[in-house]
Amino acid sequence: MRIAILAGLALAGTATAVHAGAWTQPKGKAQIIAKAEVMRATEGFDPGGALADLPARREDGAVGVFAEYGLTDRLTLQIKGDWQSGEDAFVDYAGRGPVEIGLTWQAWRDHRGAVSLYAGYARAGDGRNAGYAAPGVGEQDWEVRVSAGRGFGAPTPVAGRWGPSRTFVEVQAARRMRDGLPDEVRADLTVGGHFGDDWMVLAQAFGGVTDDDGAQWLAAETSVVRHWGRWSLQAGWRRTVAGRETPLAEGPVVALWRRF
């Protein structure tokens, strides 16, 4: 789910609207996002949540593509996939990651807020998943997700001269049914601020837990986005802040967006 929320936050050209998980694409409109990330870890969270040294340094990298297209004003098609590589004390791998396709339906929307429902299907790639803080996918997985967002068009008195001109917040909750692996519950939170028409700052948190009471993870990410017409460039840093049976990984994230 983190690719969807990372890639979907694009300026819509009005004071209050953004395109994100809660907001579907207008009919005939699309956007494509290419994203790259490299996560490194020398420590990890043990089953009790305490930090411990890993047997060897772990490094995970991924280059992915996320695309969405408005089939109608209320129904958006989403496709995502990536190429993953990594190395740790036990395995050295590289290959195609999972490919996912899904539909987002706009359940409700007004001039400031939106609620949407998503259902998607994912098929595993040809190598181990390179998730920096989350377990891998099963052979064939299904995900259902609800997203809610709200934009705030007018600057607040506290913002002052240097604060954002408009802000927004979005929350997502998902249930992922994994084939051959324990199912998961995931949650994401994004807070963003526009500084004029050219700049945006994002603060995000996303985490999850598996049904077998095993792996848990919580990561935080901050990033800056620069818009040039239909293009946008995002650069940020992500770090695992808590968890169990997951590495304490951190590293840069870069994404390039193009809207059509």
Side-chain angles (χ1 to χ4, degrees):
M1 188 163 59
R2 65 183 181 275
I3 289 182
I5 198 168
L6 170 72
L9 295 164
L11 182 65
T14 66
T16 59
V18 292
H19 289 164
W23 287 267
T24 55
Q25 289 285 337
K27 181 179 179 180
K29 298 295 184 179
Q31 68 176 356
I32 298 176
I33 302 96
K35 182 177 73 76
E37 61 181 57
V38 178
M39 298 293 142
R40 299 182 176 91
T42 58
E43 295 180 298
F45 296 96
D46 66 18
L51 279 175
D53 291 335
L54 297 176
R57 191 178 83 155
R58 171 171 172 168
E59 180 172 320
D60 295 307
V63 177
V65 175
F66 172 92
E68 58 180 4
Y69 176 77
L71 300 174
T72 71
D73 286 338
R74 298 186 65 183
L75 194 64
T76 293
L77 173 68
Q78 295 183 354
I79 301 174
K80 57 186 176 182
D82 59 14
W83 180 269
Q84 303 176 347
S85 64
E87 182 179 1
D88 60 20
F90 307 102
V91 66
D92 185 353
Y93 64 95
R96 178 180 60 82
V99 175
E100 183 170 333
I101 183 170
L103 291 172
T104 298
W105 174 62
Q106 191 80 83
W108 174 82
R109 184 170 182 171
D110 66 9
H111 68 292
R112 289 186 182 274
V115 177
S116 69
L117 302 175
Y118 169 86
Y121 167 79
R123 187 169 184 85
D126 54 14
R128 192 184 69 166
N129 181 63
Y132 64 95
V137 299
E139 289 299 318
Q140 300 182 73
D141 291 1
W142 291 91
E143 181 177 298
V144 292
R145 180 171 72 239
V146 59
S147 303
R150 181 170 178 81
F152 304 90
T156 64
V158 178
R161 180 178 177 183
W162 303 105
S165 57
R166 10 187 233 290
T167 58
F168 64 89
V169 62
E170 185 193 55
V171 293
Q172 297 189 10
R175 175 72 172 170
R176 194 168 188 100
M177 287 70 72
R178 303 192 300 166
D179 179 21
L181 294 171
D183 296 342
E184 297 174 355
V185 174
R186 300 184 180 191
D188 298 351
L189 169 66
T190 299
V191 177
H194 295 282
F195 292 79
D197 293 332
D198 296 333
W199 294 91
M200 180 168 64
V201 174
L202 299 174
Q204 300 170 260
F206 30 86
V209 58
T210 58
D211 282 3
D212 62 352
D213 200 29
Q216 298 180 8
W217 63 96
L218 175 63
E221 181 178 314
T222 56
S223 60
V224 177
V225 182
R226 176 66 162 92
H227 302 294
W228 289 278
R230 294 180 178 271
W231 293 88
S232 297
L233 178 65
Q234 178 178 12
W237 191 267
R238 183 185 304 140
R239 178 181 172 87
T240 310
V241 296
R244 294 192 325 198
E245 299 183 23
T246 192
L248 193 168
E250 62 179 332
V253 177
V254 178
L256 182 65
W257 312 348
R258 176 67 163 90
R259 291 168 291 280
F260 300 89

